[in-house]
Amino acid sequence: MIPYGRQDISSDDIAAVIEVLRSDFLTQGPKVPLFEAAIVAATGAAQAVAVNSATSALHIACLALDLGPGDLLWTSPNTFVATANVGHLCGAEVDFVDIDPQTFNMCPKALEIKLARAAEAGRLPKVLTAVHMCGQSCDMAAISALARRYGVRVIEDASHAIGGRYGDRAVGACEHSDICVFSFHPVKIVTTAEGGAATTNDSALAARMGRLRSHGITRDPALMTHEPDGDWYYQQLELGLNYRMTELQAALGIAQMQRLAAFVARRNALADRYDRLLAELPLRLPGRLAGVVSSFHLYVIRVAAERRRAVFDHLRRAGIGVNVHYIPVHTQPYWRRHGFALGDFPVAEEYYAGAISIPLYAGLTDAQQDRVVAALTEALG
Ligand SMILES: *Cc1c(COP(=O)(O)O)cnc(C)c1O
């Protein structure tokens, strides 16, 4: 089976993890700050906070922006459920903004209309999370201009998009957002097995996320309510969690980050090759936004909705591990119980009806890609 995505682990990656196993620190040692420095170097953001998943990073990002009961989080219905779930985990309400049918990302026009209505109704969101679907950045200049006009804070869910670029900056530079979040799950661009990170240019937000990942505790005397009792002393300033990344994960991440540019270059070469090899088939290729370099976490084709199931099944039988990203979040039973219904976000639903993610990962060979194309040609024939 050729999977839709998979990790690429080198002997250097393995050696880096083994070195940690022989060292003094399995957690809370020197590797996590070094991994954070690698993320800072790759993104150009001022600071990075590494945690145990992107879900955790999204959660502490929302907490750091004071999202809570009575507040509203808006995001895209075309995302993994975690992006929306963290809103409810903070006690806030969640709503969605429909997508653009070409890029599969939040549509700035739909956002503009929804914000104007929300302002009239006195029910503006506190936080907006823009999801960079497939690794292609949202139109962040347009989204952030609207967010600024209405006083909305912006998070980027760049779980798919490390190594991508928006204009002349790397995704994660936070030029148009308060916080940007990455995932290091094995199918993503670089992996730490499980892991995530948040970048920001706001040192207060970075410090707060750093505390929230570790129980809300500080060892900084400047933040304490009185002089420390001694060298052992810490204070809990607010309610936090244990979302820490281990040294094993960070060591793997440091080693993987050295290959980030190579991973993204190979994914782009494969995506360009798919564009060429699939051009004559009866399907729609992914659209590209000008001025954006996608990291190509996913390559999503769209076929006629009535044929999607048969094409998908044919490919799976042919040993091609296709998948579908994403079932619109608002159609999940949990979210229907919170007032959403089929038909609420028709562009995301129409996109979902025809979408198939075909294999794309740095280790995919041209010969394997040719097998995918041949199977797809047969399935559509
Ligand atoms: C993978 C993913 C997440 C969750 O990442 P984890 O690291 O598995 O918690 C969130 N949002 C999007 C868009 C993702 O693809």
Side-chain angles (χ1 to χ4, degrees):
M1 186 73 105
I2 300 173
Y4 82 90
R6 67 159 286 147
Q7 69 275 17
D8 186 318
I9 301 295
S10 70
S11 52
D12 284 353
D13 294 341
I14 293 167
V17 174
I18 290 172
E19 184 198 309
V20 170
L21 281 169
R22 297 191 200 284
S23 77
D24 292 334
F25 295 99
L26 298 185
T27 190
Q28 294 185 285
K31 294 294 187 192
V32 169
L34 287 174
F35 180 48
E36 291 170 340
I39 295 166
V40 163
T43 60
Q47 281 170 280
V49 178
V51 290
N52 59 359
S53 73
T55 305
S56 302
L58 288 164
H59 189 190
I60 60 172
C62 288
L63 290 172
L65 293 173
D66 287 320
L67 186 75
D71 295 329
L72 199 47
L73 169 81
W74 285 7
T75 188
S76 168
N78 185 28
T79 186
F80 187 55
V81 293
T83 321
N85 286 349
V86 297
H88 273 196
L89 288 171
C90 291
E93 285 178 52
V94 173
D95 200 357
F96 303 92
V97 181
D98 213 343
I99 62 168
D100 174 281
Q102 302 310 317
T103 62
F104 326 146
N105 283 334
M106 182 182 287
C107 174
K109 195 77 215 159
L111 176 62
E112 184 171 10
I113 293 165
K114 196 171 171 107
L115 280 169
R117 289 204 186 122
E120 245 170 61
R123 194 74 183 106
L124 282 164
K126 180 178 265 184
V127 176
L128 176 78
T129 303
V131 181
H132 302 328
M133 183 67 189
C134 302
Q136 175 164 252
S137 175
C138 293
D139 184 352
M140 289 308 298
I143 288 173
S144 73
L146 288 166
R148 255 198 316 277
R149 190 194 299 167
Y150 290 99
V152 181
R153 310 298 294 267
V154 177
I155 297 173
E156 294 172 78
D157 183 344
S159 289
H160 298 185
I162 198 162
R165 299 186 70 79
Y166 179 79
D168 53 11
R169 303 291 301 275
V171 169
C174 297
E175 190 182 4
H176 299 289
S177 66
D178 295 287
I179 297 169
C180 180
V181 167
F182 297 111
S183 172
F184 307 116
H185 181 278
V187 295
K188 307 286 164 76
I189 310 292
V190 301
T191 190
T192 61
E194 295 278 4
T199 58
T200 183
N201 295 322
D202 180 328
S203 57
L205 286 177
R208 184 127 189 244
M209 291 191 289
R211 280 199 301 278
L212 288 166
R213 80 172 153 190
S214 200
H215 311 284
I217 279 168
T218 187
R219 291 179 182 277
D220 180 357
L223 298 176
M224 292 183 188
T225 54
H226 57 76
E227 285 294 306
D229 294 353
D231 269 356
W232 66 86
Y233 199 65
Y234 59 83
Q235 279 190 343
Q236 184 194 350
L237 302 180
E238 63 183 319
L239 191 62
L241 304 123
N242 180 354
Y243 279 170
R244 290 187 303 263
M245 174 175 271
T246 69
E247 291 285 285
L248 300 162
Q249 291 168 306
L252 179 54
I254 294 164
Q256 286 262 305
M257 284 297 283
Q258 292 174 11
R259 289 190 288 153
L260 174 62
F263 286 158
V264 171
R266 177 62 184 157
R267 285 172 175 274
N268 269 274
L270 287 162
D272 291 346
R273 202 159 175 272
Y274 269 141
D275 282 354
R276 281 200 309 280
L277 296 174
L278 302 178
E280 305 305 322
L281 294 183
L283 48 77
R284 278 184 291 171
L285 300 176
R288 303 207 184 183
L289 189 65
V292 170
V293 178
S294 176
S295 57
F296 272 107
H297 164 53
L298 297 173
Y299 192 94
V300 174
I301 58 163
R302 280 163 304 154
V303 301
E306 23 345 316
R307 299 188 72 185
R308 195 266 300 272
R309 179 73 181 267
V311 172
F312 183 98
D313 290 348
H314 183 106
L315 289 166
R316 278 278 176 99
R317 276 197 305 276
I320 313 298
V322 285
N323 215 319
V324 172
H325 303 88
Y326 285 99
I327 305 160
V329 174
H330 68 283
T331 66
Q332 296 287 357
Y334 174 82
W335 291 98
R336 289 188 196 219
R337 285 204 300 279
H338 288 86
F340 296 99
L342 206 61
D344 284 351
F345 302 99
V347 185
E349 292 168 26
E350 205 256 355
Y351 157 85
Y352 163 66
I356 301 177
S357 304
I358 61 176
L360 183 62
Y361 49 92
L364 186 73
T365 64
D366 286 8
Q368 287 172 319
Q369 189 180 34
D370 290 341
R371 259 186 64 202
V372 175
V373 172
L376 197 50
T377 306
E378 203 182 88
L380 289 163

Short mmCIF file of all heavy atoms in Angstrom, two decimals, residues 24-57:
data_model
loop_
_atom_site.label_atom_id
_atom_site.label_comp_id
_atom_site.label_asym_id
_atom_site.label_seq_id
_atom_site.Cartn_x
_atom_site.Cartn_y
_atom_site.Cartn_z
N ASP A 24 21.04 12.76 30.62
CA ASP A 24 20.43 12.97 31.95
C ASP A 24 18.97 13.36 31.88
O ASP A 24 18.23 13.19 32.85
CB ASP A 24 21.21 14.07 32.69
CG ASP A 24 22.60 13.63 33.06
OD1 ASP A 24 22.82 12.40 33.21
OD2 ASP A 24 23.49 14.50 33.19
N PHE A 25 18.55 13.95 30.77
CA PHE A 25 17.20 14.52 30.72
C PHE A 25 16.34 13.84 29.66
O PHE A 25 16.67 13.87 28.48
CB PHE A 25 17.27 16.02 30.38
CG PHE A 25 17.95 16.83 31.44
CD1 PHE A 25 19.28 17.21 31.30
CD2 PHE A 25 17.25 17.24 32.58
CE1 PHE A 25 19.91 17.97 32.28
CE2 PHE A 25 17.87 18.00 33.55
CZ PHE A 25 19.20 18.36 33.41
N LEU A 26 15.23 13.27 30.08
CA LEU A 26 14.23 12.76 29.12
C LEU A 26 13.15 13.80 28.87
O LEU A 26 12.46 13.77 27.85
CB LEU A 26 13.60 11.46 29.63
CG LEU A 26 14.57 10.29 29.84
CD1 LEU A 26 13.80 9.03 30.23
CD2 LEU A 26 15.42 10.03 28.60
N THR A 27 12.99 14.72 29.83
CA THR A 27 12.05 15.83 29.65
C THR A 27 12.59 17.05 30.38
O THR A 27 13.45 16.91 31.27
CB THR A 27 10.63 15.44 30.12
OG1 THR A 27 9.71 16.46 29.72
CG2 THR A 27 10.56 15.25 31.63
N GLN A 28 12.15 18.24 29.97
CA GLN A 28 12.57 19.52 30.59
C GLN A 28 14.08 19.70 30.64
O GLN A 28 14.62 20.17 31.62
CB GLN A 28 11.95 19.63 31.99
CG GLN A 28 10.44 19.74 31.93
CD GLN A 28 9.83 19.96 33.29
OE1 GLN A 28 9.74 19.05 34.09
NE2 GLN A 28 9.40 21.18 33.55
N GLY A 29 14.76 19.32 29.56
CA GLY A 29 16.21 19.51 29.46
C GLY A 29 16.55 20.53 28.38
O GLY A 29 15.73 21.40 28.08
N PRO A 30 17.75 20.38 27.78
CA PRO A 30 18.22 21.40 26.82
C PRO A 30 17.66 21.28 25.40
O PRO A 30 17.76 22.23 24.63
CB PRO A 30 19.74 21.16 26.80
CG PRO A 30 19.90 19.72 27.15
CD PRO A 30 18.80 19.38 28.10
N LYS A 31 17.07 20.13 25.04
CA LYS A 31 16.68 19.94 23.63
C LYS A 31 15.46 20.77 23.23
O LYS A 31 15.38 21.25 22.10
CB LYS A 31 16.40 18.46 23.35
CG LYS A 31 17.62 17.55 23.46
CD LYS A 31 18.67 17.84 22.41
CE LYS A 31 19.78 16.80 22.46
NZ LYS A 31 20.94 17.21 21.65
N VAL A 32 14.47 20.89 24.12
CA VAL A 32 13.26 21.64 23.76
C VAL A 32 13.59 23.09 23.40
O VAL A 32 13.16 23.57 22.34
CB VAL A 32 12.17 21.52 24.86
CG1 VAL A 32 11.04 22.51 24.61
CG2 VAL A 32 11.62 20.09 24.90
N PRO A 33 14.39 23.82 24.21
CA PRO A 33 14.76 25.18 23.78
C PRO A 33 15.52 25.21 22.45
O PRO A 33 15.36 26.14 21.66
CB PRO A 33 15.64 25.71 24.92
CG PRO A 33 15.37 24.83 26.08
CD PRO A 33 14.86 23.53 25.57
N LEU A 34 16.33 24.18 22.19
CA LEU A 34 17.05 24.14 20.90
C LEU A 34 16.08 23.90 19.74
O LEU A 34 16.25 24.47 18.65
CB LEU A 34 18.12 23.03 20.92
CG LEU A 34 19.36 23.33 21.77
CD1 LEU A 34 20.27 22.09 21.84
CD2 LEU A 34 20.12 24.52 21.21
N PHE A 35 15.08 23.06 19.96
CA PHE A 35 14.05 22.84 18.93
C PHE A 35 13.27 24.13 18.70
O PHE A 35 13.01 24.51 17.55
CB PHE A 35 13.12 21.70 19.36
CG PHE A 35 12.03 21.38 18.37
CD1 PHE A 35 12.31 21.22 17.02
CD2 PHE A 35 10.71 21.24 18.79
CE1 PHE A 35 11.29 20.92 16.10
CE2 PHE A 35 9.70 20.95 17.89
CZ PHE A 35 9.99 20.79 16.54
N GLU A 36 12.95 24.83 19.78
CA GLU A 36 12.25 26.12 19.64
C GLU A 36 13.10 27.10 18.85
O GLU A 36 12.58 27.85 18.00
CB GLU A 36 11.89 26.68 21.02
CG GLU A 36 10.80 25.84 21.71
CD GLU A 36 10.57 26.19 23.17
OE1 GLU A 36 11.46 26.81 23.81
OE2 GLU A 36 9.49 25.84 23.69
N ALA A 37 14.42 27.09 19.09
CA ALA A 37 15.33 27.98 18.34
C ALA A 37 15.33 27.62 16.85
O ALA A 37 15.41 28.50 15.99
CB ALA A 37 16.74 27.91 18.92
N ALA A 38 15.23 26.33 16.55
CA ALA A 38 15.19 25.90 15.14
C ALA A 38 13.90 26.39 14.47
O ALA A 38 13.91 26.77 13.29
CB ALA A 38 15.29 24.38 15.05
N ILE A 39 12.80 26.39 15.22
CA ILE A 39 11.53 26.88 14.65
C ILE A 39 11.60 28.39 14.44
O ILE A 39 11.15 28.91 13.42
CB ILE A 39 10.34 26.49 15.57
CG1 ILE A 39 10.20 24.97 15.60
CG2 ILE A 39 9.04 27.12 15.07
CD1 ILE A 39 9.31 24.47 16.72
N VAL A 40 12.19 29.10 15.40
CA VAL A 40 12.39 30.55 15.26
C VAL A 40 13.24 30.84 14.02
O VAL A 40 12.91 31.72 13.21
CB VAL A 40 13.04 31.12 16.55
CG1 VAL A 40 13.64 32.50 16.30
CG2 VAL A 40 12.00 31.19 17.67
N ALA A 41 14.32 30.07 13.85
CA ALA A 41 15.21 30.30 12.70
C ALA A 41 14.48 30.04 11.39
O ALA A 41 14.67 30.77 10.41
CB ALA A 41 16.44 29.40 12.82
N ALA A 42 13.64 29.03 11.35
CA ALA A 42 12.95 28.67 10.10
C ALA A 42 11.81 29.61 9.76
O ALA A 42 11.49 29.79 8.59
CB ALA A 42 12.42 27.23 10.20
N THR A 43 11.16 30.20 10.78
CA THR A 43 9.97 31.01 10.54
C THR A 43 10.24 32.51 10.56
O THR A 43 9.48 33.28 9.97
CB THR A 43 8.88 30.72 11.59
OG1 THR A 43 9.42 31.03 12.89
CG2 THR A 43 8.43 29.28 11.53
N GLY A 44 11.27 32.93 11.30
CA GLY A 44 11.50 34.36 11.47
C GLY A 44 10.62 34.99 12.54
O GLY A 44 10.64 36.21 12.71
N ALA A 45 9.84 34.18 13.26
CA ALA A 45 9.08 34.72 14.39
C ALA A 45 10.05 35.04 15.53
O ALA A 45 11.17 34.51 15.58
CB ALA A 45 8.04 33.70 14.86
N ALA A 46 9.62 35.86 16.47
CA ALA A 46 10.50 36.23 17.59
C ALA A 46 10.66 35.06 18.57
O ALA A 46 11.73 34.83 19.10
CB ALA A 46 9.95 37.45 18.32
N GLN A 47 9.56 34.32 18.81
CA GLN A 47 9.61 33.26 19.82
C GLN A 47 8.78 32.05 19.40
O GLN A 47 7.81 32.17 18.65
CB GLN A 47 9.11 33.79 21.16
CG GLN A 47 10.17 34.61 21.89
CD GLN A 47 9.61 35.34 23.08
OE1 GLN A 47 8.99 36.39 22.91
NE2 GLN A 47 9.81 34.79 24.26
N ALA A 48 9.16 30.89 19.93
CA ALA A 48 8.40 29.66 19.70
C ALA A 48 8.23 28.92 21.03
O ALA A 48 9.13 28.95 21.88
CB ALA A 48 9.12 28.77 18.69
N VAL A 49 7.08 28.28 21.19
CA VAL A 49 6.78 27.48 22.38
C VAL A 49 6.41 26.08 21.89
O VAL A 49 5.39 25.91 21.21
CB VAL A 49 5.61 28.09 23.18
CG1 VAL A 49 5.27 27.22 24.39
CG2 VAL A 49 5.94 29.51 23.62
N ALA A 50 7.24 25.08 22.21
CA ALA A 50 6.98 23.71 21.76
C ALA A 50 6.13 22.97 22.78
O ALA A 50 6.33 23.13 23.99
CB ALA A 50 8.30 22.97 21.55
N VAL A 51 5.19 22.19 22.29
CA VAL A 51 4.26 21.42 23.15
C VAL A 51 4.07 20.02 22.58
O VAL A 51 4.70 19.65 21.60
CB VAL A 51 2.91 22.15 23.31
CG1 VAL A 51 3.07 23.40 24.17
CG2 VAL A 51 2.31 22.50 21.96
N ASN A 52 3.18 19.25 23.21
CA ASN A 52 3.05 17.83 22.87
C ASN A 52 2.11 17.54 21.69
O ASN A 52 1.99 16.39 21.28
CB ASN A 52 2.65 17.02 24.10
CG ASN A 52 1.33 17.49 24.69
OD1 ASN A 52 0.72 18.44 24.18
ND2 ASN A 52 0.88 16.86 25.75
N SER A 53 1.43 18.56 21.16
CA SER A 53 0.63 18.39 19.94
C SER A 53 0.19 19.76 19.43
O SER A 53 0.23 20.74 20.19
CB SER A 53 -0.61 17.52 20.20
OG SER A 53 -1.58 18.24 20.94
N ALA A 54 -0.26 19.80 18.19
CA ALA A 54 -0.84 21.04 17.67
C ALA A 54 -2.15 21.35 18.38
O ALA A 54 -2.50 22.52 18.57
CB ALA A 54 -1.06 20.93 16.17
N THR A 55 -2.88 20.32 18.76
CA THR A 55 -4.13 20.54 19.50
C THR A 55 -3.83 21.30 20.79
O THR A 55 -4.51 22.28 21.13
CB THR A 55 -4.79 19.18 19.82
OG1 THR A 55 -4.95 18.47 18.60
CG2 THR A 55 -6.13 19.37 20.50
N SER A 56 -2.78 20.87 21.52
CA SER A 56 -2.37 21.58 22.73
C SER A 56 -1.95 23.01 22.42
O SER A 56 -2.28 23.94 23.16
CB SER A 56 -1.20 20.86 23.40
OG SER A 56 -1.53 19.52 23.71
N ALA A 57 -1.21 23.19 21.32
CA ALA A 57 -0.76 24.53 20.95
C ALA A 57 -1.95 25.44 20.65
O ALA A 57 -1.98 26.61 21.06
CB ALA A 57 0.18 24.45 19.74
#
